[in-house]
Amino acid sequence: MKKLLIIDDEKNIRYGLKTMIEREFPSVYTITMASNGAEGFEIFKTEGADIIITDIRMPVMDGITLLEQISKVTSGEKSPAVLILSGYDDFEYAKSAIRYRVKDYLLKPIRRDELFEILKNIDKEQEEQDLSARQLEQETEHFRRELRSSRLRGLLMQQEVPLEREQQEWLSDLQAPFTVGVLNYYYNDGTRMKSGDVQGLAERLIGPLEKFFSEITTDWDGKLVLIGSRKQDFIELSRQAEAKEIKGLSIGISSEGGSLEDLRSCYKEACRALQYTFLYPQLSLLDYGDVGQGRSNFPLPKEELRKLLNMLGTEREKEMKHLLSVIFQIEHLKELDLAYLESVGQNVNELVLDEVFRVHGEASVEVLKLYRTVGNMYNYRHFHEYYRALENLLLSVNEYIVGVRSAHTEHADMEEALSYIEANYARPLNMAMVSNHVSLNYSYFSEAFKAYTGENFVIYLKKVRIRHAKELLAKGCSKLATVSEEVGFENSKQFARVFKELEGISPGDYRAKIVSEEC
């Protein structure tokens, strides 16, 4: 309820105002009364007030002096809304109080509707001010948090250099020991959830994160970073995710940090622990202390990578899959150092896949799209998903190379077929003769020939014969029957029909056109 202070030396006016206001605005105001300015000022100092209704002429301390005193003690603070009561003779005098931010004036005798309207306006204005103040406070707090988050993000991503004095000052309230946790979430299709949505998910699991973690930020890679004083809070977050069968959430946590200087190293430990969830699909949380030491490593298998490259484009898919498992040391997967897998993955990209595309050219859009995703193993939540995608990519590349080699062979076959047609067009020629010449199945040859030339065999042969007929006509050969026979048509009638079909004019008209152009 709002506090309202009524100050007037006339008792009837004080109680009359109190009664009117309480009747019109039940349960809105807590009303206190005083008989003069001095008494009212003491009440204001001890209890405060949101609204003051005061007379001007009063004993001990008048209304103007009261406002002067209130302005002194509320300097820089929220001032009460003041409503002045005055008689007609004091009205001009009362207006001098305007410098004390008086909201309005009421002439005695007081009119109820005028008083109520003024109080409603004051309440409305105060509510708007309160709303603006809350919004400003929220915006200021949001800006402060964003600034701190940005500074912390920059600090985590810096190289290992001593903390600057300014950084030490704005992080001086960070409680030690602390643990850094890095969170990520993968959807079923392999895409990552945005950090803001990860934060929302975490809060749905355990409540507002500010209750458990002193710092909340994101790194430059878009992962959510939490800093807290208790590892148990991270464990509880993971436990709640498992209880609600949320499979996509992964958490990596660091060892305990004892000072601000440990922040960067703890962040890196948490990131590495998060990466190790890549090897353990059944776990949603990993502590760096459990995975950071004593991992198995092996020399880079360059000879096996060379063999893998050579196998692509062959019919040895089973052997290729086995070789891939040897390259990645699948038998030792759970004990492997991630650095080994990262190195092998990079070399598969560079020594195998890049070399394939360098030699054979770029593959289909689908293959290249898959390659861009498989190129970074951390585009997948778990290793087995990456490994399966890599296997599929290698099989697709294998088919691509087979297709490229087949296309080269087919190209040579079609070139041989065209050469045969060019040499034998004057003979009785059909597609069976040509397909037999290049040793290809009749149906396959028909499809391949059309794909290569853009035309079926009959049309292509007609065009070859008409092209040679035009050459003979241009040389002045007089007998159309002779031309028809020399280019392989059964009779001159068929020759004339095909010639007009392809050239738009008869052989005779074509010859006459050539002669007229030469003259």
Side-chain angles (χ1 to χ4, degrees):
M1 296 174 68
K2 293 185 178 181
K3 294 181 180 180
L4 191 151
L5 175 58
I6 299 173
I7 308 171
D8 197 297
D9 59 335
E10 296 185 38
K11 182 178 181 180
N12 290 340
I13 292 179
R14 293 198 304 272
Y15 280 91
L17 285 171
K18 182 176 185 293
T19 301
M20 283 193 295
I21 293 170
E22 288 179 337
R23 187 177 296 134
E24 181 67 17
F25 304 100
S27 303
V28 174
Y29 301 105
T30 300
I31 299 177
T32 309
M33 296 182 291
S35 60
N36 59 67
E39 183 182 346
F41 183 57
E42 291 302 318
I43 292 174
F44 178 78
K45 286 195 298 182
T46 56
E47 300 180 17
D50 299 302
I51 302 173
I52 295 176
I53 302 176
T54 182
D55 193 9
I56 290 293
R57 295 188 181 276
M58 295 180 293
V60 186
M61 181 187 291
D62 63 25
I64 300 300
T65 305
L66 169 66
L67 296 183
E68 290 175 352
Q69 296 301 313
I70 289 176
S71 68
K72 292 177 181 178
V73 298
T74 57
S75 177
E77 300 177 8
K78 182 180 178 183
S79 301
V82 177
L83 177 59
I84 294 290
L85 304 177
S86 67
Y88 182 79
D89 294 338
D90 295 327
F91 190 60
E92 291 301 322
Y93 172 61
K95 284 187 175 181
S96 65
I98 192 169
R99 65 181 180 274
Y100 301 116
R101 299 181 182 178
V102 172
K103 295 298 181 184
D104 219 322
Y105 309 89
L106 281 175
L107 282 172
K108 296 178 181 179
I110 297 168
R111 293 171 52 192
R112 296 163 55 91
D113 57 346
E114 188 176 0
L115 169 64
F116 297 157
E117 185 65 26
I118 291 173
L119 287 176
K120 288 177 182 178
N121 289 337
I122 290 174
D123 285 345
K124 182 179 179 181
E125 184 176 336
Q126 286 185 339
E127 287 175 1
E128 291 175 349
Q129 289 176 346
D130 291 343
L131 177 60
S132 297
R134 286 196 299 273
Q135 289 176 339
L136 179 60
E137 184 179 351
Q138 290 172 356
E139 290 173 1
T140 301
E141 178 62 17
H142 177 73
F143 176 76
R144 187 193 69 79
R145 287 180 176 275
E146 286 296 313
L147 179 59
R148 186 179 179 95
S149 176
S150 177
R151 286 175 169 176
L152 180 59
R153 184 185 307 119
L155 172 61
L156 296 178
M157 304 305 290
Q158 282 179 0
Q159 299 298 322
E160 296 295 336
V161 294
L163 289 179
E164 298 177 359
R165 181 176 179 181
E166 182 183 3
Q167 292 173 323
Q168 293 178 346
E169 289 177 353
W170 58 259
L171 281 173
S172 60
D173 58 343
L174 183 64
Q175 294 181 354
F178 56 81
T179 299
V180 178
V182 180
L183 287 71
N184 216 352
Y185 184 98
Y186 280 95
Y187 294 104
N188 290 334
D189 63 0
T191 58
R192 268 175 44 186
M193 181 183 285
K194 295 180 179 179
S195 59
D197 294 333
V198 176
Q199 181 173 343
L201 172 63
E203 290 181 335
R204 289 195 296 275
L205 292 173
I206 62 172
L209 297 184
E210 291 83 357
K211 290 175 57 178
F212 306 96
F213 306 104
S214 57
E215 302 294 338
I216 304 169
T217 187
T218 57
D219 62 16
W220 296 115
D221 193 36
K223 299 187 294 294
L224 181 65
V225 180
L226 304 177
I227 302 176
S229 58
R230 300 190 332 141
K231 282 191 177 183
Q232 185 60 39
D233 294 328
F234 293 102
I235 296 172
E236 177 62 18
L237 178 56
S238 174
R239 192 184 70 79
Q240 289 295 333
E242 291 177 359
K244 292 179 171 57
E245 297 186 348
I246 297 174
K247 305 297 184 182
L249 184 65
S250 300
I251 308 172
I253 59 175
S254 69
S255 55
E256 282 192 343
S259 67
L260 290 178
E261 284 71 19
D262 296 331
L263 260 179
R264 293 191 193 103
S265 59
C266 285
Y267 164 72
K268 289 183 177 180
E269 288 180 359
C271 287
R272 201 55 172 167
L274 179 66
Q275 287 178 327
Y276 268 102
T277 62
F278 188 63
L279 298 181
Y280 301 94
Q282 74 278 14
L283 298 179
S284 60
L285 180 143
L286 275 178
D287 188 323
Y288 180 78
D290 296 331
V291 297
Q293 306 295 328
R295 313 292 296 185
S296 300
N297 214 325
F298 296 90
L300 183 67
K302 290 188 176 181
E303 181 61 22
E304 286 76 9
L305 289 168
R306 186 187 64 80
K307 290 179 180 178
L308 180 63
L309 175 62
N310 291 337
M311 284 184 183
L312 290 171
T314 69
E315 302 298 325
R316 302 163 64 186
E317 292 182 359
K318 186 175 181 180
E319 292 178 56
M320 188 169 63
K321 288 183 177 181
H322 173 71
L323 183 59
L324 190 65
S325 69
V326 172
I327 289 172
F328 277 95
Q329 296 288 343
I330 297 301
E331 292 184 359
H332 307 283
L333 185 62
K334 295 298 179 63
E335 295 80 33
L336 278 178
D337 191 318
L338 267 180
Y340 174 78
L341 293 178
E342 290 165 345
S343 177
V344 168
Q346 181 180 351
N347 278 274
V348 168
N349 294 340
E350 296 175 356
L351 302 181
V352 179
L353 297 170
D354 287 349
E355 184 65 16
V356 166
F357 298 137
R358 185 188 69 80
V359 173
H360 298 286
E362 291 190 346
S364 67
V365 173
E366 291 76 15
V367 172
L368 291 175
K369 184 177 179 182
L370 181 57
Y371 177 39
R372 282 193 290 271
T373 305
V374 176
N376 180 359
M377 66 172 61
Y378 295 119
N379 285 331
Y380 300 87
R381 186 184 176 204
H382 296 304
F383 176 80
H384 68 269
E385 296 171 354
Y386 160 73
Y387 188 79
R388 206 161 44 235
L390 178 59
E391 265 192 344
N392 290 335
L393 174 58
L394 289 171
L395 293 177
S396 297
V397 169
N398 182 66
E399 293 176 4
Y400 165 67
I401 296 174
V402 170
V404 169
R405 290 174 178 170
S406 175
H408 284 309
T409 302
E410 186 178 281
H411 178 86
D413 290 337
M414 290 302 105
E415 285 295 322
E416 175 63 22
L418 297 187
S419 297
Y420 184 77
I421 292 171
E422 196 66 32
N424 296 279
Y425 67 89
R427 296 172 51 197
L429 197 63
N430 58 43
M431 191 165 67
M433 295 169 61
V434 180
S435 63
N436 286 336
H437 176 75
V438 294
S439 302
L440 290 178
N441 173 272
Y442 180 90
S443 298
Y444 175 78
F445 176 81
S446 175
E447 293 180 6
F449 186 90
K450 187 172 183 179
Y452 187 75
T453 64
E455 297 170 325
N456 65 39
F457 178 83
V458 173
I459 295 297
Y460 184 86
L461 180 57
K462 285 180 179 180
K463 288 185 175 182
V464 170
R465 286 172 169 169
I466 295 302
R467 172 164 52 81
H468 284 282
K470 288 166 64 178
E471 292 174 359
L472 293 174
L473 291 171
K475 292 177 181 178
C477 185
S478 58
K479 293 183 179 181
L480 296 182
T482 302
V483 173
S484 171
E485 183 179 350
E486 289 190 10
V487 297
F489 284 99
E490 293 180 3
N491 54 63
S492 57
K493 186 177 180 180
Q494 183 195 31
F495 167 59
R497 178 177 57 78
V498 172
F499 193 100
K500 188 170 184 178
E501 175 188 316
L502 296 180
E503 298 297 324
I505 58 177
S506 68
D509 290 338
Y510 179 81
R511 182 175 56 188
K513 177 175 176 291
I514 294 296
V515 171
S516 65
E517 288 176 353
E518 291 177 351
C519 295

